[in-house]
Amino acid sequence: MKKITIMLLLLSCGIFLAVGTAAAATTPISPTSNLLAAGGILDTIYGLGNLQRVDDALDQIWNPATGNATAQAKYAYYSQHFGYIPDLNNPGFADDSFVSLFNVTDNGILTNGPTAALNSGNVNFLWALQPEWGPMWTSLESENSDALDHMVTFLITGGADPTAVGPQRAPTYVIAWEDLPADDPEFDYDYNDLVVEVKVAPVPIPGAILLLGSGLLGLAGIRKKFKR
Ligand SMILES: [Ca+2]
Ligand SMILES: [Ca+2]
Ligand SMILES: [Ca+2]
């Protein structure tokens, strides 16, 4: 039973965290950061035992999804605009625009942080952070001006109900951001500058609908044949 649950979790990772390279990679988080400390941000909100770190080779480009995002914590001087970048135009993200979901102004663990729904349409997307000052950061390392990873991801495993259907089945992740460029004297790779919980459900793939459709037509055809 446990094996099945783990398989389901792995499958859901595979579905939503699409494009990655083969090599496993975990971006280092500062040991003095309060993100992963006992009694720190994630421990207080979720309990560290209920989170599973996602490989940073796999959290960069996200498959088409609908869902919602809620700010959970901010430890940064500047306010943070959070949103996403759908790959709407030519393939690749260089020609696409930031869609803002919300602006976070308060600091600390947010009990009533801003929340918003997202819908990427039928295209892949990046998560993105636009601090009040300085460059925009995305989940795709190669899109960032310092070519570094500015977002780390955790899958919420605790309390997940594998028998749930509908939106409850949607995997929920916590994404945590570093908002300063690597060459800034105050770059501290603490990944606590904004922490957001995101729930993502797949946008139905047209191919799958087509297949399902032709299957139903096929069934109808068979029924017709037998009726004759
Ligand atoms: Ca990452
Ligand atoms: Ca594009
Ligand atoms: Ca920081």
Side-chain angles (χ1 to χ4, degrees), residues 9-21 52-69 82-88 92-93 96 101 118-129 137-144 149-156 170-177 196-203 205:
L9 285 170
L10 285 174
L11 265 172
S12 60
C13 287
I15 290 165
F16 295 105
L17 310 168
V19 186
T21 49
Q52 186 182 308
R53 179 83 187 261
V54 172
D55 192 316
D56 282 290
L58 302 175
D59 76 342
Q60 301 197 36
I61 299 175
W62 292 58
N63 279 348
T66 60
N68 56 66
F82 173 79
Y84 62 106
I85 301 175
D87 188 3
L88 286 175
F93 292 93
D96 298 303
L101 288 176
L118 90 126
N119 183 349
S120 78
N122 277 321
V123 297
N124 289 340
F125 68 98
L126 312 178
W127 296 111
L129 180 80
W137 306 111
T138 80
S139 52
L140 182 59
E141 294 174 22
S142 60
E143 275 292 298
N144 293 334
D149 185 12
H150 281 260
M151 189 193 94
V152 294
T153 304
F154 303 83
L155 175 68
I156 302 175
T172 307
Y173 298 94
V174 183
I175 58 180
W177 294 85
V196 181
E197 183 179 309
V198 295
K199 185 177 256 195
V200 283
V203 169
I205 302 158

Side-chain angles (χ1 to χ4, degrees), residues 178 188 190 193:
E178 171 53 51
D188 54 9
D190 57 5
D193 302 313

